[in-house]
């Protein structure tokens, strides 16, 4: 059993790399963003709760996200291991996952990317996929929220010596090669 945690700004390519790593290594890809978007499109109770928050580019509450992750990682398809893409995003979420993974071998990867390229990638995706939270105003809010709430996790993990830093510059394949060589087999 192994867990890989992906950290990084919106649009850095976490989801893209997680899909690839999941296919290559047989680890379950858990994207909190995808789970929440699915709930919104289904119109479930959870979807109704989070739709407005996501559209504004804000974060869903820690209590709710921690509950969602506890439930999801307890499912049988996670037995071999999983990639967390989009969780944790705050210090309380990081503390919760630390407890959950206390007996599990885990690796934490931070994808770094210059702000100009982040904006380019989000803009390309907005045109291709029309994701509501890729609208310019929401992009800016998401980047602000990332800096305030999630970027502090980089130092949080750096201090414990647990952070693997991977540059997200370059092609998808180039980033994947860097990721693969940075991870223990
Ligand atoms: P979420 O979906 O997790 O958004 P995010 O972290 O902002 O990440 P993105 O999906 O925007 O980017 P990504 O890094 O995965 O990049 P991607 O691979 O798509 O969360 C959405 C919302 O849900 C949050 O704002 C919040 O409201 C809520 N939420 C989720 N988790 C939460 C939590 N734990 N707590 C509270 N709230 C939570 O790539 C981006 C684009 O670039 C794509 O078009 C891709 O094709 C392209 N691309 C990828 N790699 C490359 C490359 N190397 N070169 C060129 N283009 C590339």
């Amino acid at each position: 059993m192994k867990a890989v945690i992906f950290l990084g700004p919106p649009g850095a390519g976490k989801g893209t790399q997680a899909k690839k790593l999941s296919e290559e290594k047989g680890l379950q890809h858990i994207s909190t963003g995808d789970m929440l978007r699915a709930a919104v499109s289904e119109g479930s109770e959870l979807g109704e709760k989070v739709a407005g928050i996501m559209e504004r580019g804000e974060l869903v509450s820690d209590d709710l996200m921690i509950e969602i992750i506890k439930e999801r990682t307890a499912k049988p398809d996670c037995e071999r291991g999983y990639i967390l893409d989009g969780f944790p995003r705050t210090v309380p979420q990081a503390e919760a996952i630390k407890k959950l993974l206390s007996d599990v071998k885990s690796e934490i990867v931070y994808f770094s990317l210059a702000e100009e390229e982040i904006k380019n990638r989000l803009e390309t995706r907005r045109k291709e996929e029309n994701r509501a939270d890729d609208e310019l105003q929401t992009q800016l809010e998401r980047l602000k929220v990332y800096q305030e709430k999630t970027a502090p996790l980089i130092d949080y993990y750096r201090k414990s010596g647990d952070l693997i830093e991977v540059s997200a510059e370059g092609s998808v394949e180039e980033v994947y090669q860097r990721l693969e060589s940075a991870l223990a087999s």
Side-chain angles (χ1 to χ4, degrees):
M1 162 69 162
K2 161 187 176 128
V4 183
I5 295 175
F6 279 2
L7 281 182
K14 302 179 297 296
T16 305
Q17 295 297 324
K19 271 186 209 106
K20 218 166 150 47
L21 189 67
S22 162
E23 283 161 15
E24 301 274 334
K25 308 283 178 194
L27 299 169
Q28 187 64 40
H29 174 197
I30 302 179
S31 158
T32 44
D34 286 351
M35 287 169 75
L36 296 172
R37 279 185 289 278
V40 172
S41 8
E42 282 158 16
S44 66
E45 199 182 319
L46 170 65
E48 280 178 20
K49 231 185 244 177
V50 302
I53 299 171
M54 292 176 80
E55 250 177 64
R56 292 191 296 276
E58 295 165 3
L59 292 185
V60 174
S61 77
D62 287 335
D63 286 352
L64 183 54
M65 291 313 302
I66 291 167
E67 195 187 314
I68 290 173
I69 280 296
K70 277 189 183 160
E71 256 180 46
R72 181 65 190 88
T73 54
K75 294 205 167 149
D77 61 0
C78 288
E79 265 168 20
R80 249 199 93 191
Y82 50 84
I83 304 160
L84 284 182
D85 161 19
F87 187 99
R89 260 176 151 96
T90 62
V91 172
Q93 291 183 18
E95 296 288 340
I97 199 69
K98 194 167 155 189
K99 273 193 209 145
L100 200 69
L101 293 177
S102 59
D103 294 332
V104 177
K105 186 172 166 311
S106 45
E107 294 183 283
I108 298 132
V109 180
Y110 163 51
F111 290 99
S112 59
L113 190 64
E115 188 160 320
E116 203 187 326
E117 180 59 12
I118 293 174
K119 289 181 175 164
N120 287 340
R121 289 186 191 177
L122 289 175
E123 190 50 21
T124 307
R125 190 175 62 188
R126 184 185 68 78
K127 287 183 186 145
E128 285 171 358
E129 295 179 24
N130 202 22
R131 221 174 94 171
D133 61 352
D134 283 342
E135 289 304 322
L136 188 59
Q137 214 37 51
T138 318
Q139 273 186 31
L140 297 176
E141 180 61 21
R142 286 165 64 206
L143 287 168
K144 186 168 147 251
V145 169
Y146 171 78
Q147 286 305 336
E148 284 173 9
K149 305 267 176 66
T150 309
L153 293 183
I154 300 164
D155 263 356
Y156 172 97
Y157 286 120
R158 227 180 236 147
K159 276 186 194 139
S160 59
D162 283 338
L163 198 69
I164 299 169
E165 302 199 34
V166 171
S167 163
E169 303 282 347
S171 70
V172 171
E173 202 44 53
E174 282 166 343
V175 179
Y176 187 73
Q177 292 306 324
R178 270 179 228 132
L179 170 66
E180 211 187 12
S181 41
L183 290 174
S185 62

